[in-house]
Amino acid sequence: MTKRLTFNNSNKSQQYASHDFFRYFGKLPPVVVQHILKKCIPENGIFLDLMCGSGTSLVECKLMGIESVGVDVNPLSILVSKVKTTPIDPSSLASMADALLLAIKKDADRVPLEGDVFGAPVEYLNEERPKFRNKAHWFTPYNEAMLIILRHHVGLIDNEDARDFFQVAFFSVIRRASRASARIGRIFLDVDAKPEDVVALFTRRIETMISGMAEFLLGACDSSVRLMEVDARNTGLQDRSFDFILNHPPYFALYKYSSDVLRFELEWGNFARSPIARQEIREGFKTTELSKFNEYADDMQAVFQEAHRLLKPGRMLCVVVNDSTLKDVKLPVVDTLVDRAKTIGFSLSEINARDVMYSQARYHRSANPSIQTKEDKLIFFEKPM
C-alpha cells in the first residue's frame, strides 16, 4: 500500500540559507529532501545525487554534515550548485558588491532609456551583445544593454568563487528582465509584463544572496561536496562507493532544461546548448508520439544501471517521479520505471506519494484539467546484499 506524505511548509519557509539563490523550476522542496536523507542515509554514509539540478540535496547534506557528490550534464546546474554550497565570507561579498554596483551604475547611467541604446558611449556594449535567435522578441534593447553591463562587470571580478557568486546573481535576474512569464517554468511570452529595472533587480538579488550566505554559514558543517559535469548514465565514479543515491529526473513530456526552462541563462552565459541537449535523457519534450516514452524508459534504465553499479549492497536508491500525460493518455511512468529497475537487480522497498503543495503544483499540470495530478511518487529501491 502506498504511504501518503504531506509537507505543509510554505514556499517562503523553504527559502532559507542558500536555497533562494536561484529559482530552479521543478526542484524538490528542501523539507522533502530532509525527509528522504533522514530516512535513507546511514551514519557516516556518502551520498550521491544523480541529476543534482540546482543542488538542493547538496545544500541539505552540507547542513546535516553528510559527505556528498552531485552530478549533472548541465554546466549551469553545476555552477549554481557550487555557489550554493561554497562558503564565502559575507562581509567580503558585501565589499565587492559595493564596488561592483558602483561600476555598473556608472555605465548604466550613460545609456539612454529610449532611442539609440547601443549608440551609448559604453565601448563594449556592441562588442559583447549576445547572439541567439529571437532575442528582440524577449528582451527590450534597454534591458539587453543593462544585462550586458551586468555581465561585463561580473566577468571582471578576479576571485573565482566571488565571480561565480555574482554570476549566479546575474543569471537569477535574466528571466525577470525578459518578456517571458516569471511564474512558470516553460518560457511563454507574457504580454502584460512590464519591463523591470534590471540594476535594481540585481541589487536586491545580491542583498538576498549575501544574507542567505550568512545564514548558510551559521549551519554549514565541514562535510565535503564534490561536483561533476557528467552524464548520469556514465559518471566514471568508483563501483560500490555510495551509501545512498537520489535521482529526481525530468518528468516525461514536461521540461527540457537546455531547450526551454534554462534557455535564457545558458544563452546569456555563452554555454553551448546543443552538446548539453544531446546528453540529457530523452524526456519527450513537446512530443506527441507515444513511442518517445520508450526512449525515456530506456534512458532511465541506463541511469538505474549506473546507480546499481555505484551503490553499496544493502543500500537504497530513491527515485522521485510521477506518471505523465500525453494528450489524453496517462502514461504508466511509475510502473514502467519500477519494472526497469527490477530488471537491473533492484528490489522495490516502498512507494510514497507526496502531496504537492502551493505553486509547486504548477509544473505537474497536464494539458487536460480532468487528469491533472498534484503529487509526486517517492520510489525506494534496495540493492540486495
Side-chain angles (χ1 to χ4, degrees), residues 282-310:
R282 294 170 290 178
E283 72 307 282
F285 178 64
K286 290 187 176 180
T287 190
T288 58
E289 300 175 35
L290 283 171
S291 61
K292 296 293 183 182
F293 176 57
N294 292 326
E295 296 180 350
Y296 175 77
D298 289 344
D299 284 354
M300 287 304 302
Q301 182 171 334
V303 174
F304 296 159
Q305 183 73 62
E306 181 71 348
H308 192 273
R309 182 182 71 81
L310 296 172

Side-chain angles (χ1 to χ4, degrees), residues 184-235:
I184 56 177
R186 296 277 297 276
I187 295 177
F188 294 103
L189 184 68
D190 185 351
V191 294
D192 296 322
K194 293 181 174 59
E196 297 197 50
D197 185 323
V198 176
V199 177
L201 280 174
F202 185 62
T203 301
R204 292 196 298 271
R205 173 49 36 186
I206 289 174
E207 291 171 352
T208 297
M209 288 177 61
I210 292 175
S211 176
M213 177 58 70
E215 186 178 354
F216 173 73
L217 286 175
L218 288 175
C221 302
D222 291 333
S223 52
S224 66
V225 179
R226 181 184 176 191
L227 289 157
M228 299 173 61
E229 185 186 326
V230 295
D231 192 327
R233 294 162 290 188
N234 184 22
T235 64

Side-chain angles (χ1 to χ4, degrees), residues 86-105:
T86 300
I88 311 178
D89 176 44
S91 60
S92 297
L93 288 172
S95 296
M96 285 185 276
D98 289 342
L100 174 65
L101 291 170
L102 188 64
I104 286 171
K105 290 173 181 175

